[in-house]
Amino acid sequence: MPAKKQEAKKEQPKAEEKPTEEKTVEEKKRKAEDAPAEEPPAKKEDTEQEQDDVADKRPALKSPISFCTPDTTLNVVSTNGDKVLMSLNEGGMQYLIGGARANVGMKAGRYMYEARIIEAYNAYEISQAPKGRMHMSRQVVRIGFSVAGSSLILGDSDECIYFDSDGLLGTGKTKQKLPGQSKFGRDATLAVLLNLDSKSENANTVSLFRDGVRVTKPLKLPENLVGKTLVPHVSFRSVSLYVNFGPTPCKPLLFQCRMIQSAAEKDTEAVAAKPPKDGKYEVVLTVGFP
């Protein structure tokens, strides 16, 4: 009986083997189905959206852009021809934010300016409490634009827009977290580009660049700032800032963009400090008591 069973098994027809070519086709099809989906190609919006500047034959701004004393807070000290801004850092002044607004604003066109943290302070003081706690002032840098006559501290009024060193976008008194690596610190050259060109696809937007590389996409201005003259403005604490209005950038962008100092005169507006009506100025002296 065992021998007969073995013969019966041998007599059973074998399944026909598929030709080698068909196997290869099926294996390729199976691998294609199991393979991970390919990432979609980069969208057009992920590429640089700004274009190179075209030649502008209009007369350029002649007067130098600087910071005037009436448009700086009491704790700000300007040096090196208003290119370097410092703040007082003793006697409790290290806890106060300083602010400085330029004397020329933008009302049209597309221009930028730069700022770089060249020095950072770790100012502190020991309290008179029994445990002698040490209090340190946190470094703060805000760079952006505001309307002439508004608060000298970015974020204290609704008429401003700025980028914060903590990776935040400030529009008036509100802040929102920016995506990606949007924080910045010492020795990084920051460029803020304001586009008020009505013919541009990115009209009424502001962008941040770090060392010539884009950090944020063009961000829309708040409605209350559209149509107004916007003035370069910085606020800071426990740092020294180098501010460059041009004409030559420290870190050129990937596209050609003029700096504010090279702006067409018709695209700018001088922001002159208004003297008091009676011709008398008020002098304020800061006095500290132990």
Side-chain angles (χ1 to χ4, degrees):
M1 291 293 292
K4 290 182 179 180
K5 287 183 178 180
Q6 289 179 1
E7 290 177 1
K9 288 182 179 179
K10 288 181 180 179
E11 292 175 357
Q12 291 179 358
K14 294 182 179 179
E16 294 183 2
E17 294 185 0
K18 294 183 179 180
T20 307
E21 293 183 1
E22 292 185 9
K23 282 185 177 180
T24 307
V25 173
E26 286 188 0
E27 287 178 2
K28 287 183 179 180
K29 187 176 180 181
R30 192 183 308 111
K31 289 180 180 179
E33 291 176 351
D34 296 338
E38 294 183 1
E39 294 184 1
K43 297 180 181 179
K44 189 176 181 181
E45 64 183 14
D46 294 334
T47 60
E48 181 53 57
Q49 300 181 43
E50 296 286 355
Q51 305 296 325
D52 290 339
D53 274 333
V54 296
D56 192 345
K57 297 182 180 180
R58 295 178 298 171
L61 186 66
K62 296 179 180 179
S63 59
I65 302 176
S66 60
F67 296 100
C68 298
T69 302
D71 282 326
T72 61
T73 54
L74 293 174
N75 59 333
V76 171
V77 179
S78 62
T79 62
N80 195 19
D82 284 344
K83 292 183 179 180
V84 176
L85 300 176
M86 307 172 65
S87 61
L88 302 178
N89 291 289
E90 294 181 357
M93 300 291 284
Q94 66 268 29
Y95 300 109
L96 302 179
I97 296 177
R101 184 165 44 230
N103 62 344
V104 174
M106 287 177 54
K107 59 182 181 180
R110 186 194 70 174
Y111 305 100
M112 71 171 193
Y113 76 98
E114 294 177 327
R116 182 170 72 242
I117 303 172
I118 58 176
E119 192 174 14
Y121 310 107
N122 292 317
Y124 67 90
E125 65 178 14
I126 300 176
S127 68
Q128 298 180 357
K131 293 184 179 180
R133 279 188 172 183
M134 185 180 294
H135 299 279
M136 296 188 66
S137 62
R138 190 172 62 86
Q139 294 156 0
V140 174
V141 177
R142 297 170 184 170
I143 173 173
F145 292 87
S146 68
V147 177
S150 61
S151 173
L152 291 176
I153 306 299
L154 288 171
D156 277 4
S157 74
D158 294 326
E159 295 182 309
C160 66
I161 184 168
Y162 62 91
F163 295 99
D164 191 286
S165 54
D166 285 337
L168 305 172
L169 172 68
T171 51
K173 297 181 180 180
T174 62
K175 297 180 183 179
Q176 59 180 345
K177 183 70 177 175
L178 291 170
Q181 300 296 325
S182 51
K183 292 184 179 182
F184 52 85
R186 182 175 175 177
D187 297 329
T189 300
L190 309 168
V192 180
L193 184 151
L194 180 62
N195 191 338
L196 300 180
D197 185 0
S198 58
K199 298 179 181 178
S200 172
E201 294 181 358
N202 299 317
N204 296 319
T205 62
V206 63
S207 303
L208 177 67
F209 298 81
R210 179 175 53 231
D211 295 329
V213 180
R214 180 178 286 279
V215 177
T216 69
K217 64 181 182 180
L219 303 171
K220 287 289 185 182
L221 294 175
E223 291 183 4
N224 65 312
L225 296 183
V226 176
K228 295 184 178 180
T229 299
L230 299 179
V231 189
H233 193 159
V234 295
S235 293
F236 58 97
R237 179 173 62 196
S238 297
V239 300
S240 293
L241 283 180
Y242 170 76
V243 183
N244 179 28
F245 293 117
T248 305
C250 298
K251 295 288 184 179
L253 306 183
L254 297 178
F255 55 93
Q256 294 181 2
C257 179
R258 282 187 289 272
M259 302 193 72
I260 297 181
Q261 188 63 69
S262 302
E265 194 168 6
K266 288 187 177 181
D267 290 345
T268 63
E269 181 179 338
V271 184
K274 296 180 180 180
K277 294 180 180 180
D278 57 0
K280 297 180 180 180
Y281 291 86
E282 181 181 358
V283 178
V284 178
L285 299 176
T286 56
V287 180
F289 295 94

